[in-house]
Amino acid sequence: MKLGCCYYPEHWPEDNWADDARRMAEMGLSLVRIGEFAWSRIEPEPGQLVWDWLDRAIETLHTAGLAVILGTPTATPPKWLVDQMPDMVAIDEQGRPRGFGSRRHYCFSHLGYRKECRRIVTAMAQRYGDHPAVTMWQTDNEYGCHDTILSFSDAAAARFREWLQVRYGTTEALNEAWGNVFWSMEYRSFDEVDPPHLTVTEANPAHWLDYRRFASDEVASFNLEQAEILRAHSPSRDITHNFMGFFTEFDHYDTARDLDVATWDSYPLGFLEQFWFGEDDKRDYLRQGHPDIAAFHHDLYRGVTGSGRWGVMEQQPGPVNWARYNPAPLPGMVKLWSLEAMAHGAEFTSYFRWRQAPFAQEQMHAGLLRPDGKDAEAAHEARDAAKIIGEIGPQDAAKAPVALLFSYEAAWVCGIQPQGASFRYLELIYEWYSALRKRGLDVDIVSADASLEGYKMVCAPTLPIVSEELVAELKTLDCPVLIGPRSGSKTESFCIPDGLAPGNLRELIPLTVSRVESLRGGVAEAGDGFEVTRWMEQIESDLTPEVSLSDGRGVVFKHDHVRYCGAWPDNALLTRMIEAMAAEADVSVAHLPKGIRVRRSARHLFAFNYSNKPVMFDLTGEMIDPAGVSITALSR
Ligand code: GAL
């Protein structure tokens, strides 16, 4: 694994560049990402392209032996461009324009803006496409950051209507699919259909689901336009995009199909603070991040391109600026996060950012260097990581025993119609992932249309819409399969299937979900040593339940190798199911102490101590320091 950093030569006097580059190389870094926000310096006036500074910046990095990842600058259109076409900005759900003065102020559907993007990307690719320093391109920056996937602009509405026409052909078919007879919502022409916002009460969930599918396709086609230009003018260079954490607003599998390498931006402390974690986790893992946050995304993004190639484009180096509270990492964590990425198969980890900027929005965001240019704490840890990486050599990701099925469409369905406020897709997936990892299992997170051949256990926490292809794939397996609540509960057009849930999954397990209920916080249904919260299904079946509540209601049903869990399980119930499956599959599980996680590469067993105390790691008999990493060569 290589190490790198994100660098903004346009933020610093040119006199500093050579020294910065020299210090990067000295620190053990060999990659630098630049350029992704530099449009106003590349083209200060319409049509006036100023390359000399960027030529010199790239040359300086190259001379120091650093490879360059060049970002296309389309996340930050300059002021003159927005003034030229004010309708290029996205419109929010309340109908307000998302104006100039920060970033991502564009609508994916605006054809004029797309043309401008093609123009600037072509110019950059022609200029630097065969530069020996440029080894990779990054398209745009964090599609969707700051809630920018959905736009309700005229441009989006027009393209949505075209999208619907292609999908349905006739308005009769559209009305039938959506069930528009309900509340007299029928349309006579595609021109009558608006985006699903500003309605008096909720819009039709089928309307929303198609709007989300459409918006997701817009991201993929926007990205593809750039990828095609880069491939034409910069052959044999890799193309990536930096995806985000806990983000499901567009289908990453669709966009990643046109990339060579998936990358993501890892901010474990910011994510712990901003997401659903309980007060105990926020306290216990304040300076480490919850032990599964980074690994979850490593395992997710390793699976999005199909090539298995991935990296960390932005690694948190110290306190960030954007969470409610922004603590500093425990000493050792920056090194731990770096080595953990390697253990999960990353090609590189790049720290965000080289030097903390003393100006503008992110002036409180740490870098490897302080604003005064002295080493910040993370600089020492990057050096340590570089040394260890050099010592243990390349790590190939090994195929994990467990496949966890992930679906962006499932996230949209749960979000559009939660039915219970706490039924949150990412949280459910994460809890299942976490339960597997606590038992020491390595996990591949895969799409619902991936091949499942060779896995020893398959888990689908929830898949409201199940394709016939997936049913056929599951039928070919003889390993244990665990399917979670609400699976098969909707058709492709967001209706309850004939014969009720779990729809076509009934071909695998004979049961019917006859009623569902959601439970408010603090309410739990008790079983023997476990609890069900949030969601409970009433199941009709001739099968005898494998696990029931104390009052006899069945929760888990099993038929051949397939289990169905009709509830939101707690960790105890999940663990019970995982252990049963592992025993059937002859996969060994471990009982890891709190805060410890393990990961096997092809050659090493890694153990990471996410707790703030030393912990005895039984598998090797070693005491691991807080934020410590133990690395053991596996005998072949
Ligand atoms: C990312 C973004 C970077 C920077 C960073 C700060 O979301 O890609 O440009 O803003 O966050 O943590």
Side-chain angles (χ1 to χ4, degrees):
M1 186 181 79
K2 294 179 173 147
L3 295 179
C5 69
C6 304
Y7 185 51
Y8 300 90
E10 69 276 21
H11 294 181
W12 309 105
E14 193 164 336
D15 293 352
N16 289 11
W17 295 354
D19 196 45
D20 281 340
R22 182 191 59 73
R23 289 176 69 191
M24 289 173 195
E26 169 275 321
M27 206 177 275
L29 313 187
S30 57
L31 291 172
V32 193
R33 184 195 63 180
I34 63 170
E36 81 278 11
F37 301 127
W39 197 334
S40 71
R41 289 297 172 96
I42 293 171
E43 192 178 19
E45 299 285 340
Q48 185 201 328
L49 294 165
V50 181
W51 299 116
D52 55 338
W53 71 271
L54 190 51
D55 292 351
R56 291 194 299 276
I58 292 176
E59 224 33 68
T60 306
L61 298 167
H62 186 42
T63 306
L66 300 160
V68 170
I69 301 173
L70 196 50
T72 67
T74 51
T76 49
K79 175 71 169 134
W80 57 259
L81 181 50
V82 182
D83 287 345
Q84 263 178 16
M85 43 170 107
D87 62 348
M88 63 161 276
V89 301
I91 301 293
D92 75 8
E93 208 178 323
Q94 280 69 46
R96 298 168 305 200
R98 307 204 62 191
F100 183 83
S102 64
R103 61 178 171 183
R104 300 212 55 76
H105 40 282
Y106 71 83
C107 171
F108 283 98
S109 301
H110 192 275
L111 297 180
Y113 185 58
R114 281 191 177 219
K115 193 167 165 208
E116 284 296 299
C117 291
R118 291 197 298 273
R119 185 180 61 77
I120 195 72
V121 173
T122 304
M124 269 183 107
Q126 282 173 338
R127 182 102 191 158
Y128 300 111
D130 57 9
H131 194 293
V134 176
T135 56
M136 188 181 284
W137 292 88
Q138 174 186 297
T139 54
D140 202 281
N141 189 78
E142 291 194 341
Y143 292 136
C145 187
H146 317 304
D147 196 13
T148 52
I149 295 302
L150 295 182
S151 166
F152 300 84
S153 66
D154 290 347
R159 278 172 66 89
F160 179 48
R161 291 175 191 126
E162 287 167 17
W163 186 94
L164 289 173
Q165 180 125 32
V166 171
R167 186 175 174 91
Y168 294 104
T170 64
T171 46
E172 288 75 20
L174 169 91
N175 287 327
E176 175 66 25
W178 288 6
N180 281 337
V181 60
F182 193 76
W183 289 351
S184 276
M185 298 180 294
E186 288 168 301
Y187 297 107
R188 296 162 305 153
S189 108
F190 286 102
D191 292 340
E192 292 181 343
V193 187
D194 286 323
H197 73 140
L198 302 176
T199 50
V200 172
T201 182
E202 61 180 314
N204 188 336
H207 189 169
W208 263 117
L209 181 58
D210 273 346
Y211 203 64
R212 288 204 161 274
R213 288 174 173 144
F214 155 75
S216 179
D217 287 355
E218 291 292 83
V219 179
S221 68
F222 182 93
N223 181 70
L224 178 59
E225 287 184 6
Q226 298 201 11
E228 282 176 342
I229 294 166
L230 297 170
R231 283 198 208 290
H233 296 288
S234 191
S236 77
R237 270 39 172 211
D238 287 324
I239 302 176
T240 191
H241 174 77
N242 56 334
F243 296 116
M244 293 197 290
F246 293 133
F247 193 75
T248 56
E249 296 285 294
F250 65 99
D251 190 321
H252 292 39
Y253 295 106
D254 286 344
T255 291
R257 200 168 293 132
D258 303 313
L259 304 173
D260 302 296
V261 181
T263 52
W264 81 283
D265 297 344
S266 179
Y267 294 95
L269 305 193
F271 295 148
L272 175 72
E273 176 59 39
Q274 291 305 93
F275 286 90
W276 58 78
F277 299 89
E279 287 304 316
D280 289 355
D281 282 342
K282 289 191 184 194
R283 184 197 58 226
D284 293 352
Y285 298 117
L286 178 79
R287 299 179 184 284
Q288 306 95 294
H290 187 272
D292 298 306
I293 291 178
F296 174 80
H297 293 95
H298 297 337
D299 292 345
L300 172 68
Y301 289 122
R302 193 173 58 246
V304 291
T305 60
S307 70
R309 297 184 57 197
W310 70 282
V312 176
M313 189 60 87
E314 299 180 10
Q315 173 62 60
Q316 172 165 8
V320 299
N321 64 304
W322 46 262
R324 280 176 299 244
Y325 301 97
N326 298 292
L330 200 66
M333 279 319 291
V334 173
K335 181 175 81 181
L336 182 153
W337 291 325
S338 310
L339 298 176
E340 192 177 31
M342 176 169 73
H344 286 254
E347 292 187 9
F348 62 90
T349 287
S350 149
Y351 302 100
F352 184 93
R353 51 186 278 158
W354 173 244
R355 188 193 284 110
Q356 181 173 350
F359 48 81
Q361 280 93 328
E362 293 179 352
Q363 54 186 268
M364 299 303 288
H365 193 299
L368 291 173
L369 306 190
R370 310 187 315 202
D372 65 2
K374 299 223 167 71
D375 282 359
E377 287 76 356
H380 307 292
E381 296 197 26
R383 278 190 199 98
D384 289 352
K387 187 160 166 285
I388 296 170
I389 292 164
E391 282 163 10
I392 68 167
Q395 301 293 312
D396 293 324
K399 188 178 174 103
V402 184
L404 185 75
L405 268 52
F406 192 90
S407 158
Y408 290 90
E409 187 180 65
W412 305 335
V413 171
C414 296
I416 291 168
Q417 192 181 68
Q419 179 67 8
S422 57
F423 200 104
R424 290 183 289 263
Y425 179 76
L426 272 174
E427 219 172 311
L428 181 71
I429 292 274
Y430 188 87
E431 287 188 3
W432 285 47
Y433 176 84
S434 208
L436 289 159
R437 303 278 301 141
K438 282 180 191 151
R439 282 293 170 266
L441 293 164
D442 290 337
V443 178
D444 285 345
I445 300 179
V446 302
S447 78
D449 56 10
S451 163
L452 300 174
E453 201 188 325
Y455 286 108
K456 300 207 164 76
M457 294 162 58
V458 171
C459 295
T462 186
L463 281 176
I465 300 173
V466 176
S467 69
E468 287 304 331
E469 291 75 21
L470 176 58
V471 174
E473 178 76 12
L474 292 173
K475 280 184 182 166
T476 66
L477 303 178
D478 53 12
C479 70
V481 174
L482 176 60
I483 298 169
R486 298 183 90 160
S487 294
S489 64
K490 298 293 169 193
T491 65
E492 183 70 19
S493 50
F494 217 123
C495 298
I496 294 171
D498 292 342
L500 311 186
N504 49 5
L505 287 172
R506 206 171 288 111
E507 294 172 41
L508 295 161
I509 183 159
L511 55 84
T512 297
V513 178
S514 56
R515 186 171 79 171
V516 300
E517 59 173 342
S518 55
L519 307 173
R520 66 192 342 272
V523 177
E525 301 281 359
D528 182 15
F530 71 91
E531 280 184 345
V532 159
T533 59
R534 305 187 200 210
W535 188 265
M536 180 66 198
E537 298 180 350
Q538 177 174 293
I539 291 175
E540 292 175 354
S541 178
D542 291 337
L543 299 171
T544 307
E546 185 185 39
V547 180
S548 302
L549 294 178
S550 307
D551 63 12
R553 282 178 287 161
V555 177
V556 182
F557 292 78
K558 179 165 184 279
H559 180 64
D560 295 335
H561 61 290
V562 177
R563 284 181 173 79
Y564 181 86
C565 172
W568 185 293
D570 67 356
N571 188 63
L573 178 53
L574 272 172
T575 303
R576 188 192 291 191
M577 292 187 285
I578 289 165
E579 288 178 350
M581 291 167 76
E584 288 155 17
D586 206 14
V587 170
S588 49
V589 294
H591 290 249
L592 299 175
K594 182 173 155 80
I596 296 285
R597 292 294 184 274
V598 296
R599 168 80 192 176
R600 291 153 205 86
S601 69
R603 296 176 44 221
H604 290 90
L605 169 69
F606 292 77
F608 304 95
N609 185 1
Y610 267 90
S611 76
N612 52 14
K613 303 183 196 60
V615 175
M616 171 56 76
F617 179 50
D618 291 342
L619 290 182
T620 61
E622 212 181 323
M623 199 67 162
I624 315 181
D625 288 334
V629 180
S630 130
I631 307 175
T632 314
L634 292 170
S635 50
R636 297 198 174 220

